[in-house]
């Protein structure tokens, strides 16, 4: 069993394309550290999700999410769920 962190992201009314561009760069950096397993947007454009792995604990996962430009720039909110995978 492996512990991962499912991050559900919801766009706010303040969403901007600039924040989305910075979000993609941010995720590329997380992927380069081998902490991003998968990511994608919802087809209805209301947000998306990503899965973090190789992260020490939930607090470390939350710290990564808190640095996401989508949240920092007020373009989205996010919830982090600890997820037991097989």
């Amino acid at each position: 069993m492996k512990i991962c962190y499912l991050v559900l992201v919801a766009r706010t009314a303040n969403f901007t394309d600039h924040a989305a561009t910075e979000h993609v760069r941010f995720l590329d950096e997380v992927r380069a550290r081998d902490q991003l397993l998968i990511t994608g947007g919802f087809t209805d454009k209301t947000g998306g999700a990503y899965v973090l792995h190789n992260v020490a604990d939930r607090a470390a996962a939350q710290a990564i999410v808190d640095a996401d430009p989508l949240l920092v720039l007020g373009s989205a909110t996010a919830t982090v769920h600890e997820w037991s995978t097989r």
Side-chain angles (χ1 to χ4, degrees), residues 3-5 35 52 54-64 80 82:
I3 300 296
C4 294
Y5 300 90
Q35 293 178 308
L52 299 172
N54 298 329
V55 177
D57 54 27
R58 191 178 195 297
Q62 186 67 57
I64 292 169
V80 179
E82 192 169 290

Side-chain angles (χ1 to χ4, degrees), residues 7-85:
V7 182
L8 298 176
V9 179
R11 289 184 179 188
T12 68
N14 298 325
F15 178 83
T16 66
D17 290 337
H18 169 71
T21 299
E22 294 304 310
H23 169 70
V24 170
R25 287 184 195 162
F26 166 80
L27 290 178
D28 286 344
E29 293 171 4
V30 176
R31 182 179 290 113
R33 296 192 307 261
D34 193 32
Q35 293 178 308
L36 180 64
L37 188 61
I38 191 169
T39 185
F42 300 144
T43 58
D44 65 1
K45 307 289 186 202
T46 59
Y50 53 97
V51 176
L52 299 172
H53 71 143
N54 298 329
V55 177
D57 54 27
R58 191 178 195 297
Q62 186 67 57
I64 292 169
V65 173
D66 289 345
D68 186 331
L70 281 178
L71 278 67
V72 172
L73 297 172
S75 283
T77 60
T79 56
V80 179
H81 302 271
E82 192 169 290
W83 190 19
S84 176
T85 64

